[in-house]
Structure formats: C-alpha cells, structure tokens
Amino acid sequence: MLAAGLVLLLAAGLGQGTTRGVLREELLLRPLPVGDVAAVFQFRTRWDADLQQGAVSHYRLFPKALGQLVAAHGVRELHLALTQGFWSTQSWGQPPLGAPAGAELWVWFQDTVPEYVPLAPLHLWDRSLGQLGCSSVDKAWKELSNILSGIFCASLNFIDSTNTVTPTASFKPLGVANESRPWTEFFLFPLQAGLAVLLKAERLFHSSYHSQAVHIRPICRDASCLAVSWELRQTLTVVFDSFTTGQGKKDWSLFKMFSRTLTDACPLASESKVYVDISPKNKEKQLLEVTPTPTSVHEAIVQGDKTTYAVYDLLSPVLFNTSRSLNVQLKWKRPEDSSELSTPIMHAQRYVSGYGLQTGEISTLIYNTHPYRAFPVVVLETVPWYLRLYVHTLTIITKGKENKPSYIHYQPAQDRKRPHLLEMLIQLPANSATKITIQFERALLKWTEYPPDPNHGFYVSSSVLSALVPSVIAMKDVNVEESPLFTSL
C-alpha cells in the first residue's frame, strides 16, 4: 500500500509574489542499541500567506498542489503518515516522530471538530464535523482523500464510512487553536544539493523501519499572533541495522547508510543542519567519537532526558574548506557491553488472544514507569464492524484492582456502515501496568468482503494514546526555533 519511493512536495513555480516563505532542513542521526541507527529528516516550509482567502497566485517554496487543496476544501490542519515496520519502543526508546504501522491520516476542517479513521492494513484517518454540516464535510472528506491518494500513490481512496470515526477527546489541533510516487518528485529543488541528496530509495527501503509524513498547520507569524502563517513539515524516519551491515561493528557513516555524502546545502534553504546524538549512554562518558569536528555542540532536554548533539551547519563556509564533501562518521572508542536505553516513561503493547475463528479478546497493556508521578491518558480504540464487541466484558485492571475511567465514550458499530469507537480517560498510577481487555465475536462475512491475501488474517488498527508525560528532568526556557527538529521531539 505504500509508495515505492519517497514523496517530497515540489513547488509548482518560482514566481516572486508578495508572500514570503522560509525553508529549513534538518537531519538527526541517533545511535540505537544493538547497533541500529535512526535517521530523521525534516524539511520545514513556513509561508506567510492566507491560503483560506484563495487570493494566492504565486507559489515559490510551498507546493501548489497542497496549497490549492487547503484553500479549496477548507482544511485547517492535515496530517498524513505512511509507515512500514514497527518501532520497538522498549528497545529503541520513544520514537522521534510517532506513527503507527500502515497509514495515518487525520484532518481538521475550518470551524469543525475532528474525526478519526482507521483502515487496515493502513491506519488512521481523521476528518471533522461542525458548522459546515455533515453532508458538506462528508463530501470534502471524500474528495480530499481521493486527491491525496493520487498525489501520494497510496490507497487512501478506500476511505469510507466503514473506517471513519469522530473522536471526542483525541487528535486535538497542533496549530493555532480555534482558528509510490517518489516523495522527491514534489521536493523544492533537484536532488543534487542539501540533505535531499541522501534520499536514495533503494537504501531507505532496505531498512528495519521507515516512516514518511506530511503535516500542514497554521502557526502564529510572530509573538503577538496577530497574523497567521502556514507550516508544511515533511519528515522521514529510517532505522538502519548498521551492526549487521557493518560486519559486526557498530561504527557507521553517512556513506555506509545512504551510499552518498553531502556536498553542499540547498540553495533555497535558510537553515541546513545535521545533528548527531553523542549523548553518553548508561552514564558512561567518552564512548563515542564523531568525525569530522562538528561546527558546534547543542544541548537540549528531549523527552525528559538531557541530550547532547554534535551539529554540522551546511551553510557554514568552514565546513567544506578542507573537503569537498561531508561524510559524518561515528566510532565507538571501546566496545560497549550494555547500550540499552533507559526504560520509556510510558509505553504500551496490544495483542489478540483466544482460539478458533468465532470469539476472541483484545488486550492492551499500558505501562507508567515514572517512580512517583501519576498522569492521565486518553485511550482511543477503533475496531472494525465485523468484530462485534461485548462492551459488558470491558475490564481495566491496575495493580490487581479495578481502574474506573473518569470519562468514557462509546459509539457502537453498524454492520457495513461504521466501526466501533471507544474513548476512555484513565489515570495511570506511578510505576504501574494497566491492562484493558474486551471480548469480541467475529461476524460472518460474505466471500466478497474478505480482504486481499486472506491468509494474512484481518488487520485491526492499533490503539492511540494521548498523554502529557511528566519529565524526570526540569525543563528550561529555550528558543524552540533553534532546537533540533523544531521541538517535534
């Protein structure tokens, strides 16, 4: 279902209009346990224009295909992710940019409330209801999914009422509140400059995990927020198993991972940086050696941990003085026996139990490993209509006792019309494991209703957890524009 390449969005023209745009590109390289390496690309375009007024005629950095889509369908926010593989949270830590396996799409329309859609084996789809009326939003949602299906060569056109739901507590706006085909085909410049030169499909898809995403949202133009700009973030997360490909060594380099090196910055980018996570693991220091010498070192608090980055500024004139290309290399000064990450504060797993083809049980385990802080979490479950849930069997157990949710919303499924929707607000005590179970019965399907490759079984969308996770380390005020990946982490 995923495109056979990468899709970066290309501006339709280079006309010089009255609106101003800024492009920034970043690459974050993070060593993971057992020799894996995570590479996270982010290309961020900020456009000082009012797309909703429909008066924009010149597109320079912002892709015209998406700009017209936002204006024509009254889109306020759009989030699309295409992912292959599973992020191993317990082994790799929290993902830099979270996304479920398959596809995820959720959208806010103007003056509306969100709606969420799972489609197996693709994943989350989300649309919105409100003053526009159900029929108007339904039409806009259908047209939007079909257009995106064509742009990204993904099977988003299979979105319909059977895999669309409207959450009440999940998927809040990320922007200003209350206001296949190769990704490279849409990018802003030829793939001979900047970080995009590393986007070589045969290397990126020969990996343990890859996830590409597009996020569009309105943001404040300045601190006063009297004017709104539009932000487009195009991200790519890839995990390479360098320990296997490096003949038993954890050492890695850009050339080993991408078969290419960096030669210069993108001529249209106002910022072009490579960040390498050189934070000491297990309180051991001086284990990592990075070459060549970085242009600067940056420290930040990421997901409650103090992180140190070696920074390579591609716009710095001294970076390419001694060499015509940049091949960042990281070597271990000595073998490290244990390089496991600290246990994430919150992680979860989900599985199906039972036997036979008639009945079963869905179990979700949520862990809070914080030593003394409890915090609430919103759990969203979407289950296909052909799995008939027995709501009276719903149980939530924490430390051997019943855990009653403080908020619960359930919308039953309708055969061949809509899926089940279950949302709950649950309090997670400190240092605890919470188990949520619910039993189901499989409906009898027509032979035409079975998915392709029925030997795979049926794909059920993963749960969605929304929480403000407490930090172990006190946070401090920083300039978010100077933080790696613009505080996406």
Side-chain angles (χ1 to χ4, degrees):
M1 292 293 185
L2 299 182
L6 298 173
V7 184
L8 291 177
L9 301 183
L10 170 67
L14 297 178
Q16 298 291 336
T18 58
T19 57
R20 185 170 60 91
V22 177
L23 169 66
R24 297 180 180 183
E25 58 175 9
E26 290 180 309
L27 169 60
L28 171 62
L29 300 172
R30 188 173 80 181
L32 300 175
V34 201
D36 299 325
V37 178
V40 185
F41 294 83
Q42 177 166 271
F43 304 90
R44 182 200 190 206
T45 305
R46 195 194 72 185
W47 196 20
D48 298 339
D50 190 354
L51 292 175
Q52 300 298 343
Q53 299 298 325
V56 178
S57 57
H58 294 287
Y59 288 82
R60 184 173 179 266
L61 296 178
F62 202 94
K64 186 175 182 179
L66 291 184
Q68 293 180 335
L69 185 69
V70 169
H73 294 86
V75 173
R76 184 149 197 83
E77 287 193 25
L78 185 149
H79 305 272
L80 171 64
L82 303 175
T83 305
Q84 189 170 65
F86 294 90
W87 182 274
S88 179
T89 304
Q90 290 180 274
S91 300
W92 298 340
Q94 294 290 350
L97 303 169
E104 176 187 71
L105 172 64
W106 58 284
V107 178
W108 279 77
F109 292 95
Q110 287 290 330
D111 301 321
T112 59
V113 187
E115 184 163 339
Y116 166 87
V117 186
L119 176 64
L122 301 180
H123 192 58
L124 315 175
W125 319 108
D126 189 288
R127 68 180 175 92
S128 306
L129 302 173
Q131 298 178 3
L132 295 177
C134 291
S135 59
S136 299
V137 172
D138 287 340
K139 181 180 179 182
W141 174 247
K142 186 64 177 177
E143 292 178 355
L144 180 70
S145 59
N146 277 275
I147 293 173
L148 291 174
S149 179
I151 291 177
F152 294 98
C153 277
S155 301
L156 307 181
N157 55 304
F158 285 98
I159 297 175
D160 56 24
S161 62
T162 64
N163 45 48
T164 302
V165 296
T166 307
T168 60
S170 305
F171 294 95
K172 297 301 181 183
L174 301 181
V176 180
N178 301 322
E179 295 280 77
S180 32
R181 201 190 318 194
W183 209 32
T184 51
E185 178 175 328
F186 291 93
F187 202 48
L188 302 166
F189 45 85
L191 299 181
Q192 289 130 12
L195 300 180
V197 74
L198 301 177
L199 302 181
K200 191 175 181 181
E202 57 265 33
R203 298 293 298 171
L204 298 175
F205 288 95
H206 185 65
S207 58
S208 304
Y209 171 93
H210 69 264
S211 175
Q212 57 194 65
V214 173
H215 305 275
I216 301 175
R217 64 172 181 169
I219 59 174
C220 292
R221 191 168 301 180
D222 50 35
S224 63
C225 206
L226 298 178
V228 173
S229 299
W230 285 87
E231 179 192 69
L232 166 65
R233 287 192 303 133
Q234 302 174 76
T235 65
L236 173 67
T237 303
V238 187
V239 175
F240 295 97
D241 186 355
S242 296
F243 188 71
T244 301
T245 58
Q247 298 179 348
K249 297 182 180 180
K250 290 187 178 182
D251 302 343
W252 56 263
S253 66
L254 288 181
F255 187 79
K256 280 185 178 180
M257 291 188 294
F258 302 103
S259 297
R260 293 175 180 176
T261 58
L262 296 172
T263 54
D264 53 11
C266 167
L268 298 178
S270 60
E271 183 175 289
S272 182
K273 293 182 178 180
V274 177
Y275 295 88
V276 182
D277 187 349
I278 56 174
S279 305
K281 305 296 188 293
N282 292 335
K283 300 181 180 179
E284 302 267 359
K285 295 184 177 180
Q286 304 300 326
L287 290 178
L288 303 175
E289 179 182 2
V290 61
T291 55
T293 303
T295 55
S296 63
V297 176
H298 179 84
E299 289 188 352
I301 304 299
V302 179
Q303 297 172 344
D305 295 324
K306 186 177 180 180
T307 307
T308 304
Y309 298 100
V311 183
Y312 296 88
D313 188 351
L314 272 63
L315 295 178
S316 174
V318 300
L319 189 62
F320 296 104
N321 279 350
T322 57
S323 176
R324 299 184 60 181
S325 65
L326 174 64
N327 182 27
V328 179
Q329 302 180 59
L330 190 145
K331 296 182 180 180
W332 294 87
K333 289 188 176 180
R334 63 177 175 82
E336 188 179 19
D337 297 329
S338 176
S339 60
E340 294 183 1
L341 295 178
S342 57
T343 304
I345 293 178
M346 185 183 74
H347 61 277
Q349 62 187 65
R350 192 169 185 236
Y351 58 89
V352 175
S353 58
Y355 58 91
L357 297 177
Q358 184 176 2
T359 61
E361 183 178 79
I362 299 175
S363 299
T364 302
L365 290 172
I366 309 174
Y367 299 89
N368 174 14
T369 63
H370 200 285
Y372 56 87
R373 288 284 299 274
F375 56 89
V377 60
V378 176
V379 182
L380 182 145
E381 300 269 7
T382 53
V383 181
W385 63 266
Y386 49 79
L387 298 182
R388 293 171 177 166
L389 298 181
Y390 295 143
V391 183
H392 70 281
T393 65
L394 175 65
T395 60
I396 305 173
I397 304 297
T398 303
K399 293 184 176 180
K401 298 180 180 179
E402 182 181 3
N403 187 344
K404 292 185 178 180
S406 55
Y407 170 81
I408 188 168
H409 170 73
Y410 174 67
Q411 182 183 64
Q414 293 183 1
D415 286 359
R416 300 174 178 83
K417 290 185 178 181
R418 73 182 186 196
H420 301 271
L421 168 64
L422 177 62
E423 284 184 288
M424 299 176 290
L425 178 60
I426 302 173
Q427 190 76 11
L428 301 180
N431 196 22
S432 67
T434 300
K435 184 176 183 179
I436 305 172
T437 61
I438 188 170
Q439 297 178 12
F440 66 87
E441 181 182 63
R442 292 178 175 85
L444 184 62
L445 298 179
K446 302 175 182 177
W447 72 272
T448 55
E449 293 175 332
Y450 282 86
D453 299 323
N455 55 298
H456 287 186
F458 294 93
Y459 291 90
V460 177
S461 301
S462 60
S463 302
V464 178
L465 306 181
S466 304
L468 292 176
V469 179
S471 173
V472 177
I473 300 178
M475 300 294 289
K476 60 181 180 179
D477 293 333
V478 294
N479 186 345
V480 297
E481 292 294 319
E482 296 178 357
S483 299
L485 297 181
F486 308 98
T487 67
S488 297
L489 305 181

